[in-house]
Amino acid sequence: MIAKKDVNVQDYIMNSDVIAGRAVKVTGEGLVVGGNVKAVELIEAKKIGNEYGLATNVEVGIDFEYETTKAEITHKLKLLLDELSNTGVNYVKLNFE
């Protein structure tokens, strides 16, 4: 999910990729578990991560334009690689993360 301003979520964000142009606020249970949550100014939650080792990444102070462009290019690349794999052609997989 990409939002130009705020992302407001009730209870939890789980295994999601979220990029906010201003802030991410998780109210209610306020849980962020798994995935990547990025914001320019603020990430607000009661609990981030868990005891089970599920990777949870949060970043504040991001360059919004860079992150959104990167997310769009990564998504398009994944679609192209999926399409290419369906053709039966071998290719070299690149890791951009």
Side-chain angles (χ1 to χ4, degrees), residues 9-78:
V9 178
Q10 179 69 32
D11 293 326
Y12 54 86
I13 296 174
M14 295 181 70
N15 299 318
S16 300
D17 292 320
V18 178
I19 300 172
R22 191 167 45 199
V24 176
K25 297 179 182 180
V26 186
T27 58
E29 290 190 35
L31 181 62
V32 177
V33 177
N36 303 289
V37 178
K38 302 176 183 183
V40 173
E41 296 178 12
L42 171 75
I43 296 175
E44 182 177 279
K46 291 179 182 173
K47 185 175 181 183
I48 297 174
N50 66 14
E51 307 85 36
Y52 305 108
L54 184 60
T56 305
N57 303 300
V58 295
E59 295 180 48
V60 176
I62 63 164
D63 178 332
F64 182 73
E65 292 301 319
Y66 170 80
E67 292 294 339
T68 55
T69 301
K70 178 182 166 187
E72 290 167 0
I73 291 170
T74 301
H75 177 70
K76 288 177 184 177
L77 180 60
K78 182 185 179 314

